Amino acid sequence: QVTLRESGPALVKPTQTLTLTCTFSGFSLRTSGMCVSWIRQPPGKALEWLARIDWDDDKYYNTPLKTRLIISKDSSKNQVVLTMTNMDPVDTATYYCARTTGGQPGVPYFYYYMDVWGKGTTVTVSS
Amino acid sequence: QSVLTQPPSVSGAPGQRVTISCTGSTSNIGAGYDVYWYQQLPGTAPKLLINGNSSRPSGVPDRFSGSKSGTSASLAITGLQAEDEADYYCQSYDSSLSGPWVFGGGTKLTVL
């Protein structure tokens, strides 16, 4: 059974750096074709894809947010970490991590999809 | 403003058929990239509903179907049930500066 769980601070101050951890089980980031993505959702608003890290350590970032994001992995601990710098109240959201896969070998990276999601963690940015 | 455009809301009575559209452009759906659909029940995380434009993951009822044509995609739900009331999001890859992976603005489905 594949599960993911997000953890991190519930409250951060403006200009601070947010660090979120995704701890997963049921799959390995050492397996070809396995990836983890981060997605966020401001209250009452739409989903926004943030970043993705692949089994081979390839990384992809939301282009407008690229300068603020860093994604990394510790495959031995089954964890993926997302850091977002210079937090602002508009970054208040529920942050999700999701297993991302192409479904079968040889699928191009842009055809990967988020097939299992964590429950999310709520982050509020306020002084 | 989302790169993929969805109607904010749709509604239907139990048993009816509803469709949700997802309109993109030549940098995403129109470029041939696949469309995915996610269902988000109230207060829960999104769940993959359709992948590869029209494939249903194991466990998703065949009442849900997806299609794609040109720069648009659609999600159809037949035999509407009360438990289908949720937010639905389309998602695709975008080769412009808005991407690389983008979601629609979401559609709230109300079962009357």
Side-chain angles (χ1 to χ4, degrees):
Chain A
Q1 181 191 7
V2 173
T3 64
L4 304 97
R5 186 184 79 249
E6 306 86 351
S7 59
L11 179 66
V12 297
K13 289 179 167 48
T15 75
Q16 286 187 335
T17 293
L18 171 69
T19 299
L20 295 173
T21 300
C22 176
T23 303
F24 57 88
S25 64
F27 70 98
S28 172
L29 268 182
R30 292 183 169 132
T31 301
S32 177
M34 288 295 154
C35 321
V36 170
S37 299
W38 283 94
I39 307 96
R40 71 177 178 179
Q41 185 174 36
K45 295 189 177 181
L47 301 167
E48 179 180 34
W49 180 87
L50 295 176
R52 178 181 124 184
I53 190 164
D54 293 1
W55 77 98
D56 58 2
D57 213 37
D58 277 350
K59 303 175 180 74
Y60 305 90
Y61 294 101
N62 176 304
T63 303
L65 295 173
K66 188 173 185 176
T67 59
R68 300 175 53 205
L69 296 171
I70 297 175
I71 192 169
S72 62
K73 64 180 173 66
D74 186 334
S75 299
S76 64
K77 292 183 179 179
N78 282 353
Q79 290 183 331
V80 171
V81 174
L82 180 75
T83 60
M84 180 179 286
T85 61
N86 195 24
M87 293 293 284
D88 183 273
V90 300
D91 296 313
T92 294
T94 297
Y95 287 75
Y96 298 97
C97 63
R99 186 179 77 165
T100 305
T101 178
Q104 52 190 342
V107 173
Y109 74 96
F110 43 81
Y111 284 138
Y112 282 40
Y113 50 89
M114 291 150 277
D115 68 340
V116 183
W117 295 58
K119 294 184 176 181
T121 187
T122 300
V123 177
T124 300
V125 184
S126 174
S127 54
Chain B
Q1 194 141 355
S2 302
V3 172
L4 304 178
T5 301
Q6 300 180 234
S9 63
V10 297
S11 63
Q16 285 190 332
R17 178 181 186 271
V18 297
T19 61
I20 298 173
S21 62
C22 174
T23 302
S25 67
T26 54
S27 65
N28 43 68
I29 300 174
Y33 297 115
D34 281 357
V35 178
Y36 309 88
W37 290 91
Y38 300 86
Q39 177 194 58
Q40 187 174 31
L41 297 170
T44 70
K47 167 192 164 186
L48 178 66
L49 201 61
I50 298 286
N51 66 54
N53 304 314
S54 58
S55 297
R56 283 185 307 276
S58 174
V60 174
D62 59 7
R63 302 186 296 104
F64 296 89
S65 62
S67 63
K68 185 184 103 168
S69 178
T71 57
S72 296
S74 289
L75 173 70
I77 310 172
T78 59
L80 207 56
Q81 299 181 4
E83 61 255 36
D84 298 333
E85 188 160 291
D87 293 323
Y88 293 84
Y89 293 90
C90 61
Q91 178 250 312
S92 187
Y93 179 87
D94 187 282
S95 59
S96 75
L97 294 179
S98 301
W101 285 276
V102 292
F103 286 94
T107 298
K108 168 69 177 175
L109 168 63
T110 300
V111 181
L112 302 171

